């Protein structure tokens, strides 16, 4: 099967081949990432990407995520995969503001 990231760079769009390749490569994490992109759960602020997950918002910055899965495994979680997919396809909600200014932690 083809490398899903190379295909995304070439096509700049999700098709069934890319979706299948992402799921084959990442399993459940790939499926969750695709679902998040499809549902518009990836947001790009001036400072960070933020993905809404099952336990709330997770900040993704330079390949690091604030979720527990990433903290435990130190490998890409589905939030990071969703950001990579969204960046490659342009399928994210852009906010012309700083996340840190709006965060209510």
């Amino acid at each position: 099967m083809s490398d899903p990231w190379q295909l995304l760079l070439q096509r700049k769009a999700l098709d069934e081949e890319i979706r299948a390749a992402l799921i084959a490569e990442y399993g459940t994490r790939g499926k969750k990432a695709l679902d998040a992109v499809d549902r518009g759960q990836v947001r790009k602020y001036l400072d960070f990407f933020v993905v809404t997950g099952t336990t709330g918002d997770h900040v993704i910055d330079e390949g690091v995520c604030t979720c527990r899965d990433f903290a435990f495994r130190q490998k890409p979680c589905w939030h990071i995969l969703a950001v990579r997919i969204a960046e490659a396809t342009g399928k994210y909600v852009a906010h012309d503001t700083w996340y840190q200014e709006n965060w209510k932690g």
Side-chain angles (χ1 to χ4, degrees):
M1 187 165 286
S2 300
D3 175 13
W5 305 114
Q6 288 299 321
L7 292 174
L8 268 175
L9 285 173
Q10 293 168 359
R11 299 178 189 171
K12 306 267 190 250
L14 287 170
D15 59 26
E16 291 308 312
E17 180 183 5
I18 294 171
R19 287 174 182 274
L22 285 165
I23 293 169
E25 178 84 16
Y26 298 102
T28 302
R29 286 181 180 85
K31 173 80 170 93
K32 286 182 177 183
L34 289 165
D35 289 346
V37 171
D38 291 340
R39 285 192 222 115
Q41 292 174 271
V42 179
R43 301 184 313 278
K44 183 180 190 303
Y45 290 86
L46 297 174
D47 45 358
F48 305 116
F49 272 94
V50 177
V51 177
T52 301
T54 53
T55 60
D57 286 349
H58 300 286
V59 174
I60 295 83
D61 185 35
E62 297 183 11
V64 175
C65 182
T66 58
C67 77
R68 289 182 186 187
D69 182 44
F70 182 81
F72 178 71
R73 294 181 330 111
Q74 295 294 300
K75 292 183 181 177
C77 58
W78 69 265
H79 310 105
I80 290 173
L81 298 176
V83 167
R84 286 185 68 187
I85 294 165
E87 280 186 301
T89 61
K91 294 184 83 175
Y92 53 80
V93 178
H95 293 273
D96 191 23
T97 186
W98 301 94
Y99 181 73
Q100 291 183 45
E101 291 177 2
N102 298 302
W103 185 62
K104 311 238 187 309

